[in-house]
Amino acid sequence: MSVYTPAETARRSGFSLDTLRYYEKIGLLADIERTSGGQRVFTDDDLGWLGVLRCLRDTGMPIAQMATYAELCRAGADSEPERLALLRQHAVRVEEQMQLLGRQYAHLEEKIRYYAERTGARSG
Amino acid sequence: MSVYTPAETARRSGFSLDTLRYYEKIGLLADIERTSGGQRVFTDDDLGWLGVLRCLRDTGMPIAQMATYAELCRAGADSEPERLALLRQHAVRVEEQMQLLGRQYAHLEEKIRYYAERTGARSG
DNA sequence: TTAGGAACTGGAGTGCACTCCAGGTCAAGG
DNA sequence: CCTTGACCTGGAGTGCACTCCAGTTCCTAA
């Protein structure tokens, strides 16, 4: 298997059909093949690229920046240093995000322990 | 010091003045004192509660659920088991979120290493 | 060949969480 | 007093990322 229907692609990528169309419209997805009748045909390469988009999206990159990255990827090998810079910048933000999340999770745990003791004490 | 102006509260909590007003309007913030002239006066308790809200928001809890939690807190000690359940549920989602973030961060790092090697190889 | 589900398009609508605005009021320094 | 910057209200507007819709076309299995 190496080509997929829109529905199958949605299932595999985790993006809805509407989102796939939207991503194509705004340039995150380019050169998607079509049948003679005009229906989209996705390849393994497309799925790979969707995996990249999912990674960026899951780590909180704004769509606009993903579009920038997509364009750099289309621009050829000369843009690789720029792509690297963009990803490195993003990675820094993700690290900060992970640290914040970890800190706040610790607070949450603390609160849970507090309530668990109180309710445990009363009910037991 | 134990009371704060709206501006000082915004600074300390990290929420904008508009957000503080919005939170009060939708019930996340209740019983904020006022001067005779109608201006808000925040206390250390309020700041503490804002810290809780910040924790929940930073960990991705939707506003609607924060409002539920706020109401439970106002409902008295009987609601503690419910509060505990709500926080535990949320903590599970946060754990999942942290795991996803960690996995995707690993992919991102991989991509960065790939580009770093390529651009390093060409430029060095 | 025909039925019916999948997919197409352009564009409007949604949900969330704020954010901004107009037109006033309040309060502290000079 | 008077100015002036902080604050007030209700309500409209914004930005993001989809999501839904109407009306039409495609394509596969019976």
Side-chain angles (χ1 to χ4, degrees):
Chain A
M1 247 216 249
S2 70
V3 301
Y4 311 91
T5 64
E8 178 70 3
T9 307
R11 202 186 59 68
R12 287 188 182 236
S13 68
F15 292 115
S16 77
L17 205 40
D18 268 322
T19 298
L20 292 176
R21 293 198 270 250
Y22 167 66
Y23 279 6
E24 192 181 6
K25 180 152 51 179
I26 65 174
L28 286 188
L29 237 43
D31 304 321
I32 300 300
E33 282 179 54
R34 301 295 184 112
T35 65
S36 57
Q39 311 209 186
R40 289 176 184 77
V41 177
F42 293 86
T43 66
D44 280 317
D45 273 5
D46 295 330
L47 270 178
W49 173 244
L50 284 169
V52 174
L53 292 183
R54 174 146 293 288
C55 170
L56 297 179
R57 202 205 74 157
D58 283 351
T59 50
M61 185 184 282
I63 291 269
Q65 205 168 354
M66 287 200 262
T68 300
Y69 182 70
E71 202 170 333
L72 287 175
C73 287
R74 271 179 263 124
D78 283 357
S79 72
E80 283 179 8
E82 271 180 273
R83 291 183 230 166
L84 178 57
L86 193 153
L87 293 184
R88 276 192 168 140
Q89 230 181 69
H90 180 58
V92 170
R93 283 192 300 271
V94 176
E95 280 155 30
E96 289 165 1
Q97 193 191 337
M98 289 188 333
Q99 277 172 26
L100 176 61
L101 200 54
R103 275 202 307 282
Q104 298 292 36
Y105 179 71
H107 289 152
L108 189 57
E109 271 188 313
E110 219 177 288
K111 245 186 140 37
I112 286 172
R113 267 198 304 282
Y114 167 80
Y115 277 127
E117 256 174 55
R118 280 175 66 86
T119 65
R122 226 174 321 108
S123 75
Chain B
M1 250 219 247
S2 69
V3 302
Y4 311 91
T5 64
E8 178 70 5
T9 307
R11 201 186 61 68
R12 288 187 182 238
S13 68
F15 293 114
S16 76
L17 204 41
D18 268 321
T19 298
L20 292 176
R21 292 198 270 250
Y22 167 66
Y23 280 6
E24 192 180 7
K25 180 152 50 180
I26 64 174
L28 286 188
L29 235 45
D31 304 322
I32 301 299
E33 282 179 54
R34 301 296 184 112
T35 64
S36 57
Q39 310 206 191
R40 289 176 184 78
V41 177
F42 292 87
T43 66
D44 280 315
D45 274 4
D46 296 329
L47 269 178
W49 173 244
L50 284 169
V52 174
L53 293 183
R54 174 146 292 289
C55 170
L56 298 178
R57 202 205 74 157
D58 282 350
T59 50
M61 185 184 281
I63 291 268
Q65 205 167 357
M66 287 200 262
T68 300
Y69 182 70
E71 202 169 332
L72 288 175
C73 287
R74 269 180 264 122
D78 284 357
S79 72
E80 283 178 8
E82 271 181 273
R83 291 184 228 166
L84 177 56
L86 192 154
L87 293 185
R88 276 192 168 139
Q89 230 181 69
H90 180 58
V92 170
R93 283 191 300 269
V94 176
E95 280 155 29
E96 288 166 2
Q97 192 191 338
M98 290 189 333
Q99 276 172 25
L100 175 61
L101 200 54
R103 275 202 307 281
Q104 298 293 36
Y105 179 71
H107 290 152
L108 188 57
E109 272 187 313
E110 220 177 288
K111 244 184 143 33
I112 286 171
R113 269 197 304 282
Y114 167 80
Y115 277 127
E117 257 174 54
R118 282 174 65 85
T119 66
R122 228 172 321 107
S123 75

